[in-house]
Amino acid sequence: MTNWFWTVLLAATLSLPAIGTSAGIDTTATESAVTSETLPKTALPLYREGKSGKFPKRHAENLQRIKEGPIDLLFLGDSITDRWHEVPELWNASFRKWKPANFGVGGDRTENVLWRLENGELDGVSPRVVVLMIGTNNTHSNLPEDIVSGIRRIIEVIQQKAPETKILLLGIFPREPRIRNGVPVTMPMDKIKIINKELPKLAEEGKVRYLDIGNHFLSDGKVPKDVMPDGVHLNAKGYAIWAKAVTPVLKEMMK
C-alpha cells in the first residue's frame, strides 16, 4: 500500500473519540461548565483572606466553642448575626436555656458560610435547631437566583452533616441602599424582595421552617434609625424585636 493510504488511515484513527467520550468534547472543560451552571459561585465554598484576619479568627473561635460543650441552638450568618455579641444580656435572657452558640461572622456571604461548614463548624455537633440568616452581603454583586442557590446549598450541607437538626430559615432582613458620596450605589431591597419570595420553596415539613420577620423592623415601609442606625445593622432595640419574633417558633422547634 502507498504511503498516502497509511497517512489517511492514521489521521482517521486519531480523529476517533476515545471509548466513553463524545467526539470533539473536552471533558475537562465540560465538567467545569456543568459545575459552573449547577453551582454558581454563591454555592461554592470560599475562604476569606481580608487584611483584618477576622474571618480565620472567628472561624477558630467557633471551632473552640464546639469543643467547649453542647450546642442545642446555633445561629449561623453574617455580621447581623455576629452582633448578637453586643447585647449579651438579651442573648442570655432569650436563648441561654437552649445552650446557644453564635457562628455569625461579619462580612460573610453564602460562599463563606459554606467554607466554614465544610471546614469543621458542624463537625462533632448536632444542634436541635440552626437559625440561618444569610445573603445580604451577596446582594451587592450576585443575582437573586444565585443567592437562593447559595442558601439552598447551605441547607443541604447542614442536613448532610447534621441530619437530625431542624433549620429555621429567616428571610433576609430589610436594609437601606448602600450610599457612596451621597448617592445610592446599590438597591439591595430590590433583590431581597425577590429572594424572600423564593426562600419559602426551600422549606421542608419537619426539617426546614421559613420565617420572614422583616416587617417587624419597618416603620411606614422604611428602616427606622432607632432600630438600624446605619440602615443595615440592628441595635439593642432591633435585637429585642428579633428575639421576640423568633422565640415562639423556637419553643416549638426545640421540643
Side-chain angles (χ1 to χ4, degrees):
M1 297 183 182
T2 66
N3 291 336
W4 173 85
F5 174 83
W6 290 113
T7 300
V8 173
L9 179 61
L10 178 60
T13 302
L14 292 175
S15 68
L16 290 174
I19 296 175
T21 67
S22 299
I25 294 179
D26 182 339
T27 56
T28 303
T30 302
E31 291 173 357
S32 176
V34 170
T35 300
S36 176
E37 181 180 347
T38 58
L39 290 178
K41 291 182 179 179
T42 53
L44 298 173
L46 180 66
Y47 178 81
R48 279 175 53 205
E49 294 286 350
K51 296 180 180 179
S52 68
K54 176 174 60 177
F55 182 80
K57 180 176 181 293
R58 292 288 288 116
H59 176 58
E61 291 172 354
N62 294 343
L63 296 181
Q64 179 60 36
R65 173 64 182 87
I66 292 175
K67 295 178 182 179
E68 290 173 356
I71 298 173
D72 285 345
L73 176 63
L74 176 63
F75 280 68
L76 186 62
D78 49 42
S79 59
I80 300 171
T81 296
D82 185 22
R83 292 192 185 196
W84 270 109
H85 289 115
E86 298 180 359
V87 286
E89 297 85 2
L90 178 60
W91 171 266
N92 289 328
S94 303
F95 310 121
R96 182 172 55 186
K97 57 184 173 292
W98 291 316
K99 301 182 182 68
N102 181 348
F103 284 9
V105 178
D108 259 14
R109 298 155 61 98
T110 55
E111 55 264 40
N112 309 129
V113 171
L114 281 167
W115 187 92
R116 292 195 280 123
L117 293 177
E118 296 285 10
N119 286 271
E121 291 197 16
L122 265 184
D123 293 354
V125 62
S126 182
R128 292 186 189 179
V129 176
V130 168
V131 179
L132 174 64
M133 204 271 288
I134 191 67
T136 195
N137 292 321
N138 292 90
T139 59
H140 305 314
S141 56
N142 298 121
L143 296 172
E145 57 265 35
D146 290 344
I147 299 171
V148 173
S149 293
I151 296 171
R152 179 186 296 109
R153 183 58 188 151
I154 291 172
I155 291 173
E156 291 172 351
V157 172
I158 293 172
Q159 292 177 327
Q160 290 167 6
K161 289 181 169 288
E164 300 302 317
T165 294
K166 301 173 186 176
I167 300 170
L168 177 58
L169 174 62
L170 298 181
I172 300 175
F173 291 174
R175 59 178 294 171
E176 291 297 300
R178 173 173 283 187
I179 305 296
R180 185 176 299 153
N181 299 323
V183 179
V185 293
T186 61
M187 301 296 289
M189 279 308 302
D190 294 343
K191 292 184 179 180
I192 289 172
K193 290 176 181 178
I194 297 172
I195 294 165
N196 286 350
K197 286 183 179 180
E198 293 297 314
L199 291 184
K201 298 176 183 179
L202 304 184
E204 297 180 56
E205 186 174 355
K207 296 182 179 180
V208 182
R209 182 165 178 174
Y210 176 70
L211 181 65
D212 186 356
I213 64 173
N215 286 337
H216 292 255
F217 302 111
L218 299 177
S219 177
D220 296 326
K222 296 182 179 180
V223 177
K225 294 293 185 181
D226 66 341
V227 173
M228 296 182 184
D230 64 356
V232 179
H233 299 98
L234 303 172
N235 57 13
K237 181 178 179 179
Y239 282 106
I241 294 172
W242 186 349
K244 182 178 180 180
V246 301
T247 295
V249 179
L250 287 176
K251 286 181 178 179
E252 295 179 18
M253 297 181 71
M254 293 295 291
K255 290 180 181 178

